[in-house]
Amino acid sequence: TAPNGNESWKVNTSQYITWASDAITLVNVTYSLDNGGNWTSLGLFNASNGTTTWNIANDTTVSNAALVKIYDNSNPNVVNDTSNSTFNVIGVFDVVRPESGDPVYAEESYTINWTKEGTGINNVILQYSTDAGGNWSYVNPAGNNTVPNTGEYIWSVPAGPLSETCKLKITDPGNANATNLSSGSYYIRGKLQVTMPNGGQNWQIYDTQAINWTKKGNLTNVNIKYSSDNGGNWTVIGAN
């Protein structure tokens, strides 16, 4: 009676297989990950129990064509039943970084990390959102948007948009139910670096001097301030 089709069971979880029986002593509970091509036995069980637990190992091969078959151990070819349709055994991901306040700087490289359970997932899709999950963009915009499922990917962060409500999502391209969102929100920030003055200059009062800087990210305006007491107090020069 369960699973009976369309369920999504995660690897490294325990799931209940249930059945109904009459006038049977022992049943053999088996599962297939290839639509019935091959079967693996979970063992013999008292038919009257009506249930057993499948502890799905974390190295189980993921599948979109899983089935469970139960048969009378004394008469397997005559008394048996199979799930009405296939169900899914799906992988498990967990985004490690970025999440929960991690800073990510525009126009720099950032290493995305995740953990993974389940075998047979060679590639994953990484997506990011700058509006708390309202809209999503691909971390890898090229080709089919996948990256190798190695647990690490170096992201070339775009110039924008900059945001304090960013999320990251990882998904198995073979099954959209195998997905994970980063916890909390992380930041995509711009970066400024003063190049002049940068230490050692002697500027005279009443002189006009050029202040120069570089920027990363889509920063439109900046405030310019100076301090004459090593950062104790600041005076606004202007905006640019």
Side-chain angles (χ1 to χ4, degrees):
T1 55
N4 220 18
N6 300 316
E7 296 89 349
S8 289
W9 285 2
K10 296 179 179 180
V11 301
N12 203 24
T13 64
S14 297
Q15 303 290 341
Y16 289 106
I17 297 172
T18 61
W19 63 87
S21 64
D22 186 37
I24 299 172
T25 303
L26 290 175
V27 294
N28 196 329
V29 179
T30 63
Y31 70 89
S32 170
L33 298 175
D34 57 2
N35 201 28
N38 297 277
W39 295 92
T40 300
S41 176
L42 294 174
L44 295 174
F45 303 92
N46 290 325
S48 59
N49 290 348
T51 185
T52 190
T53 301
W54 179 14
N55 298 311
I56 308 175
N58 61 9
D59 60 351
T60 300
T61 301
V62 301
S63 171
N64 294 329
L67 292 167
V68 163
K69 181 178 181 180
I70 299 175
Y71 56 85
D72 180 359
N73 192 55
S74 299
N75 199 3
N77 295 324
V78 176
V79 182
N80 60 72
D81 187 53
T82 305
S83 306
N84 287 347
S85 61
T86 58
F87 64 97
N88 307 307
V89 176
I90 64 175
V92 175
F93 304 107
D94 182 38
V95 175
V96 177
R97 58 190 297 263
E99 60 180 8
S100 300
D102 288 336
V104 176
Y105 292 100
E107 298 184 82
E108 292 189 353
S109 295
Y110 184 88
T111 301
I112 298 171
N113 296 111
W114 67 93
T115 62
K116 53 195 173 71
E117 295 176 333
T119 61
I121 307 174
N122 297 322
N123 298 293
V124 293
I125 294 175
L126 298 174
Q127 294 172 279
Y128 70 97
S129 171
T130 57
D131 58 1
N135 296 279
W136 295 92
S137 300
Y138 293 109
V139 168
N140 177 20
N144 62 3
N145 309 122
T146 64
V147 305
N149 185 26
T150 59
E152 178 179 292
Y153 183 75
I154 299 176
W155 178 21
S156 296
V157 184
L162 308 180
S163 172
E164 295 185 351
T165 58
C166 299
K167 304 284 288 184
L168 190 90
K169 177 167 64 174
I170 182 171
T171 306
D172 177 2
N175 192 313
N177 291 319
T179 190
N180 180 251
L181 285 177
S182 56
S183 298
S185 295
Y186 66 91
Y187 305 90
I188 296 181
R189 293 174 173 169
K191 182 178 281 189
L192 296 168
Q193 182 175 1
V194 177
T195 57
M196 180 62 70
N198 204 26
Q201 294 80 16
N202 291 299
W203 286 3
Q204 302 295 320
I205 60 174
Y206 302 119
D207 282 353
T208 299
Q209 301 287 349
I211 297 174
N212 299 324
W213 65 91
T214 61
K215 73 179 182 73
K216 291 183 178 179
N218 291 340
L219 297 170
T220 304
N221 298 296
V222 295
N223 289 322
I224 303 173
K225 302 178 181 180
Y226 76 94
S227 171
S228 58
D229 58 0
N230 200 31
N233 296 277
W234 293 91
T235 301
V236 175
I237 296 175
N240 200 318

